[in-house]
Every structure is written in structure tokens, then in C-alpha cells.
């Protein structure tokens, strides 16, 4: 076993604190990664506070991992020591169901093993990226393009792929009007990616306070949803709306912004069930759909797309000791636009 250090939530009601634990030694097909940076996703907060139920404690969160390979198992063929790599939201799947076989492994029939807050095939709880190192099967490790800095590339591993996948699936591109609700970690990646795909992009934010940023990130239009005029003006406007919000909202009102046959793809996961009237969908043959991260194959495709288009996340780098403070700021929508933990601050504290 390997000694690992990190920060863990001891329970749903306690702050994250330093934590030592063990990781498996690299097996035949494993890669050992020295973690240099880890992004903070809102899902880390949902799970560390057990808002979705079933959380496993103590929990080392983190699924936007960027680092460098320091050792490989004897059977590893795709990576070598020194490679710049990433790990996203899952580290294993069954490998033989129709979804794994067709390249949609994130929808594995037996369920994915999440990077943290899951039980691995060895029966041990998985521990995530707020730590100094991680051991992952090479089939779940991604290559980070050389031109992307590791700190600002880390958020691509979750925020990036979570927006890339629905934008591709619903064919965002020239001639398509796409709206992104919520300019947070996921939302700001959505703006950059949809813009790079050639779509006309609108941000729907609670206020106009992030308007300048939104336009700089690539949006063509920016509206405040606190202004009732926004809903009158934008009625029946969008082919695709991606909803990144994790708080209660008036879903029926937002659905009126879809064109006939438009789709709202839900990626935000609020704690409570979502209330929707049937008329919001039947009038205009509108669709309400969902999307969860992306496959390993598509995640690599997204990273290569970002490498080609020089797309990275706008980040605020923090020391690991600031993680609890960062959680509070995310809850106030006070993040520009992703917190990334510099893991050197964990290693220096030893
Ligand atoms: P985030 O950085 O907190 O961004 C969410 C944004 O939503 C905020 O910046 C804010 O944008 C807006 N918002 C917040 N409260 C709101 C409210 N009361 N009404 C309207 N808008 C509000 O979070 P994130 O990391 O992007 O994650 C967003 C959600 O996606 C979370 O639920 C997370 O668990 C989920 N998620 C899902 C997947 C997936 O695979 N489907 C993957 C990762 C994360 P404005 O300030 O612009 O209004
Ligand atoms: Zn995430």
C-alpha cells in the first residue's frame, strides 16, 4: 500500500480537514499520478454534505484531477513516467455491458465507480483528488494536451466534459441558438465551448454583474433572469438550453424560452425534485432531457478539442487550507469561475 495525504470531510456536518490514508500500490494496468492540481466542483459540496444521500465518510472529494505520471504497472501501454494526465469523475466501469462496449462507459449498466464516494472493485471506498497522489487503471486516465497548463486544464475533467457532451449531442454549431443558465464553473465552460463550436451563445444569469465576463468568455448576449422583461423578450428563442443551476427555480418559465422542438438539457442536480407542468412541454413539442458527464472516449475528444482551440478554465488558485472558505464562496455564486487547489500547498504542509 501507498501512504497518501489529503483533505477529507469526516461527516456531512463537519468542515474538511487534513487526513492520511492508504491507496493501493499500482497493479499491472495501473498508473500512479502525482496530483498537482484539483478543481472544486459544486458536486463536491453536494456529496461532502450528503445532499444527494448515501455519502460515504470520511470522504476525500475531488474529480477534476491534473498531474504527472510517476510510475506505471508492467502491463501499461498508453502512459509513461512524466506524462501530463488527468482523471475525471470515474475510475472504473464493468467493461462488458452494451454501454461500455459502445464507448458510453459513463452510462455503464452496472454503474460507474466514481473517483470518490464510491466503492471500488476491491471493495474499498474510493478517495478523490484533494490529495497528493492517486492510482488509476490506465483505461480511465486522460492525456492533457501539451499546450494547456495543468492548473487551468483541471476543471475540463468535469466542468468541461459535462458541457461538451450535451453541446455535441444536441449539435450546437453554426445557426444554432444556445443558452446557458448559470455562469459558474460548468456554465463558463459551456460558453467557451459553445462559442468555439460556432453557436450563437446567450448567458442567462441571475443579475448583470458578470455581463462583461460573459461577453469576454465568448457569449453573444447576456441577460438577467431577475428581470421579468428577459422572459418576454426571449420567449421561443433557443434551440438548446443547458441548465447548470443546482438551486430551486421556476422551470416552467425557463421552458417558455425554447423554440418549438427545442430542448432543455439538465446538468445541474438540485437537492429537491423539479416541478414541471405538462403544458410547458406539450405546447411546442419541447423536450426536457438530462446529461451526465461524458465517456472516457469523449473526454479525451474534449481535451483534444480544447488543446486545438486553446480553451482552458478561468480559475482562482487556492491553498488546500482554503477549501472550506471556497465552498462557502461557491454557494454564494462568488467564483470566477472555478477554484483550483494547488496541491503543492498540501505537500509543503507536511
Ligand atoms: P457553480 O459553480 O456553483 O455554478 C452554478 C451557477 O448557478 C452559479 O454560478 C449561478 O450562476 C447559478 N445559480 C446559483 N444559484 C442560483 C439560483 N438560486 N437561481 C438561479 N441560478 C443560480 O456550480 P457548478 O460546479 O457549475 O455545478 C452546477 C451543478 O451541476 C451542480 O448541481 C453540480 O452538482 C452539477 N453537476 C452535474 C454534472 C453532470 O454530470 N450532470 C457534472 C458536474 C456538476 P449566476 O451567478 O450566473 O446566476
Ligand atoms: Zn464535477
Amino acid at each position: 500500500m501507498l501512504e497518501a495525504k489529503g483533505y477529507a470531510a469526516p461527516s456531512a456536518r463537519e468542515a474538511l480537514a487534513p487526513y492520511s490514508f492508504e491507496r493501493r500500490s499500482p497493479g499491472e494496468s495501473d498508473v500512479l499520478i502525482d496530483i498537482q492540481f484539483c478543481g472544486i466542483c459544486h458536486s463536491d459540496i453536494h456529496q461532502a454534505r450528503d445532499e444527494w444521500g448515501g455519502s460515504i465518510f470520511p470522504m476525500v472529494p475531488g474529480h477534476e484531477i491534473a498531474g504527472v505520471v510517476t510510475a506505471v504497472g508492467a502491463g501499461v501501454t498508453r502512459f509513461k513516467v512524466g506524462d501530463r494526465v488527468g482523471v475525471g469523475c470515474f475510475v472504473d466501469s464493468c467493461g462488458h455491458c452494451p454501454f461500455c462496449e459502445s464507448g458510453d462507459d459513463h452510462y455503464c449498466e452496472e454503474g460507474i465507480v466514481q473517483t470518490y464516494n464510491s466503492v471500488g472493485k476491491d471493495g474499498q471506498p474510493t478517495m478523490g483528488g484533494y490529495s497528493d497522489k492517486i492510482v488509476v487503471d490506465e483505461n480511465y486516465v486522460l492525456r492533457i494536451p501539451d499546450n494547456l497548463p495543468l492548473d487551468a486544464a483541471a476543471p475540463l475533467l468535469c466542468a468541461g466534459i459535462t458541457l461538451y457532451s450535451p453541446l455535441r449531442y444536441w449539435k450546437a454549431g453554426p445557426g444554432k441558438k444556445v443558452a446557458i443558465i448559470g455562469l459558474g464553473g460548468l456554465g463558463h465552460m459551456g460558453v467557451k465551448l459553445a462559442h468555439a463550436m460556432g453557436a450563437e451563445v446567450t448567458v442567462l444569469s441571475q443579475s448583470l454583474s458578470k455581463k462583461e465576463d460573459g461577453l469576454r468568455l465568448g457569449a453573444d448576449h447576456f441577460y438577467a433572469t431577475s428581470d421579468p422583461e428577459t422572459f418576454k423578450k426571449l420567449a421561443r428563442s433557443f434551440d438548446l438550453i443547458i441548465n447548470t443551476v443546482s438551486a430551486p427555480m421556476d422551470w416552467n418559465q425557463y421552458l417558455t424560452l425554447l423554440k418549438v422542438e427545442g430542448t432543455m438539457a439538465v446538468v445541474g442536480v438540485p437537492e429537491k425534485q423539479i416541478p414541471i407542468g405538462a403544458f410547458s412541454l406539450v405546447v411546442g413539442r419541447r423536450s426536457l432531457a438530462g446529461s451526465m458527464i461524458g465517456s472516457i472516449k469523449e473526454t479525451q475528444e474534449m481535451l483534444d478539442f480544447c488543446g486545438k482551440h486553446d480553451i482552458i478554465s478561468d480559475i482562482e488558485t487556492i491553498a488546500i487550507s482554503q477549501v472550506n472558505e471556497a465552498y462557502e464562496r461557491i454557494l454564494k455564486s462568488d467564483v470566477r469561475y472555478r477554484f483550483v487547489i494547488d496541491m503543492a500547498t498540501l505537500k509543503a504542509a507536511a
Side-chain angles (χ1 to χ4, degrees), residues 33-40 64-70 82-87 141-158 303 311-315 317 338-344 347:
I33 300 164
D34 174 58
I35 301 177
Q36 300 197 348
F37 298 97
C38 185
I40 300 182
E64 293 185 339
I65 298 170
V68 173
V69 174
T70 50
D83 283 355
R84 304 162 83 248
V85 294
V87 177
V141 176
L142 288 309
R143 193 172 290 285
I144 296 181
D146 286 340
N147 60 319
L148 303 183
L150 288 182
D151 53 357
L156 302 178
L157 275 305
C158 174
L303 285 166
I311 295 176
I312 47 176
S313 174
D314 280 33
I315 60 168
T317 307
R338 199 61 144 181
F339 288 113
V340 170
I341 304 167
D342 181 351
M343 226 45 79
K347 293 163 193 164

Side-chain angles (χ1 to χ4, degrees), residues 203-224:
V203 174
L204 301 172
S205 186
Q206 293 167 92
S207 74
L208 293 180
S209 66
K210 302 176 187 170
K211 180 172 179 181
E212 226 173 275
D213 285 351
L215 299 179
R216 173 181 56 80
L217 294 168
D220 300 284
H221 316 282
F222 196 107
Y223 289 91

Side-chain angles (χ1 to χ4, degrees), residues 41 43 63 158:
C41 178
S43 303
H63 58 205
C158 174

Side-chain angles (χ1 to χ4, degrees), residues 40-47 51-52 63-64 89 106-107 158-163 166 180-189 203-207 209-210 222-223 225 243-250 254 266-271 290-294 327 329-339:
I40 300 182
C41 178
H42 203 124
S43 303
D44 299 347
I45 306 177
H46 289 306
Q47 294 177 89
E51 290 170 357
W52 295 338
H63 58 205
E64 293 185 339
C89 298
H106 56 315
Y107 296 130
C158 174
I161 184 60
T162 300
L163 272 287
I180 307 283
I181 315 179
L183 194 64
L186 267 54
H188 95 290
M189 288 312 312
V203 174
L204 301 172
S205 186
Q206 293 167 92
S207 74
S209 66
K210 302 176 187 170
F222 196 107
Y223 289 91
T225 52
N243 185 355
T244 76
V245 177
S246 55
M249 58 194 285
D250 186 343
Y254 283 87
V266 178
V267 295
V269 186
E271 205 177 334
S291 184
M292 188 186 82
I293 48 171
Y327 276 20
R329 286 187 50 198
I330 291 170
L331 292 172
K332 289 190 223 136
S333 303
D334 175 21
V335 48
R336 303 281 191 281
Y337 280 86
R338 199 61 144 181
F339 288 113

